[in-house]
Amino acid sequence: MTATSTTPSRTATAQVHEAIKQRILEGRYRPHEFIREAAVAAELDVSRTPVREALRELVSEGWLEAMPHQGARVCAWTEEDAQEVFELRLVLEPMAVRTACRQIDAETLAGLHSLADRMEALTSCREMSALAHSELASLNHQFHRVLIQAGGNQRLAQILEGVVRTSVIRRNFSSYDREALLRSMRHHREMLCAIEAGNGAWAESVMRAHLLASRDLHLSVSGNADDGTQVSV
């Protein structure tokens, strides 16, 4: 089989994969909700074949779980899962941002400042809409991903992607009060200041504080975990 003949199918599968993943992250697909091939195919205007392939990949990655004779449903995570993820991130993400201090280039740093600008613009409003929360979550994910990748340690970036993508800590800022949102934005800015100064210890310390604050917020709302409450950093 030639590469040309496989490209359209692979592209369709990748698009479906990303669409389903995004809906899980945004909370449109809830924990334990079944993802139906026919419904997704109709919504995305594709055949069922790429949907089926995308669902298999998402099961293998830990986003979905396969239920015998029922299909695939969104994974739900326990409090223990969340705690384990925080422990891993507290070790790995400060390491990643420290490395970024030595490796980051001017273009990447400018991009991070732009993402911080856009997030701060969204949080400047006292009353944020659901759409604004969703956009903020997406920008926040980009910020952390770019920051982690800026260190140039691909193994570390891959490990962190695997840890974060399969965690209970979904990208949803709806549980943040205004004070928590502003603190998160300040942490982002201070990390960038530390990186510009080339001070790895400072950047590492801010990232750790950033994650500890998020963990504290998660613990404060964990009693609502069954209703889909989710926390992001």
Side-chain angles (χ1 to χ4, degrees):
M1 185 175 292
T2 65
T4 302
S5 65
T6 62
T7 298
S9 175
R10 178 60 235 168
T11 300
T13 300
Q15 290 173 343
V16 174
H17 178 284
E18 185 59 28
I20 295 173
K21 184 170 70 172
Q22 188 65 28
R23 292 177 182 189
I24 294 171
L25 290 169
E26 292 173 352
R28 292 169 63 184
Y29 292 152
R30 311 287 284 180
H32 296 307
E33 181 177 346
F34 281 92
I35 310 300
R36 304 298 183 189
E37 280 184 22
V40 173
E43 289 171 15
L44 300 180
D45 193 24
V46 296
S47 71
R48 294 179 64 165
T49 299
V51 177
R52 190 176 304 117
E53 291 300 318
L55 291 178
R56 287 199 192 103
E57 292 178 2
L58 290 162
V59 167
S60 70
E61 293 171 2
W63 291 94
L64 304 176
E65 58 181 338
M67 305 298 293
H69 312 298
Q70 298 181 66
R73 70 180 187 182
V74 180
C75 287
W77 289 78
T78 67
E79 185 62 25
E80 183 178 355
D81 293 324
Q83 292 287 4
E84 288 177 356
V85 166
F86 271 117
E87 292 303 319
L88 287 169
R89 294 184 73 183
L90 280 164
V91 172
L92 298 176
E93 286 199 65
M95 182 190 307
V97 75
R98 186 182 188 111
T99 305
C101 284
R102 300 192 300 266
Q103 302 288 338
I104 197 165
D105 56 60
E107 184 179 358
T108 302
L109 188 57
L112 286 166
H113 275 293
S114 177
L115 288 169
D117 288 341
R118 292 164 66 188
M119 285 188 281
E120 287 169 0
L122 287 169
T123 58
S124 65
C125 301
R126 288 194 171 273
E127 297 295 330
M128 291 179 63
S129 66
L131 183 61
H133 276 124
S134 178
E135 185 178 355
L136 178 61
S138 180
L139 292 170
N140 179 73
H141 176 70
Q142 291 179 55
F143 183 91
H144 278 260
R145 183 173 59 188
V146 171
L147 189 56
I148 289 165
Q149 292 176 344
N153 187 328
Q154 292 305 309
R155 288 185 177 85
L156 180 57
Q158 288 170 5
I159 291 169
L160 272 167
E161 176 66 16
V163 168
V164 175
R165 75 186 178 190
T166 57
S167 82
V168 70
I169 311 160
R170 301 300 189 191
R171 295 185 331 212
N172 190 329
F173 278 89
S174 60
S175 58
Y176 275 54
D177 59 23
R178 182 164 180 76
E179 181 181 352
L181 277 174
L182 295 177
R183 180 180 62 229
S184 182
M185 298 304 105
R186 289 194 299 269
H187 284 159
H188 289 164
R189 283 296 182 189
E190 189 174 355
M191 273 187 271
L192 294 181
C193 287
I195 291 170
E196 288 179 322
N199 192 326
W202 180 13
E204 189 176 22
S205 177
V206 178
M207 176 60 86
R208 187 171 289 108
H210 189 56
L211 292 167
L212 287 170
S214 181
R215 184 174 68 176
D216 183 72
L217 179 59
H218 171 78
L219 292 173
S220 72
V221 300
S222 60
N224 297 322
D226 290 341
D227 66 11
T229 299
Q230 298 164 338
V231 178
S232 175
V233 291

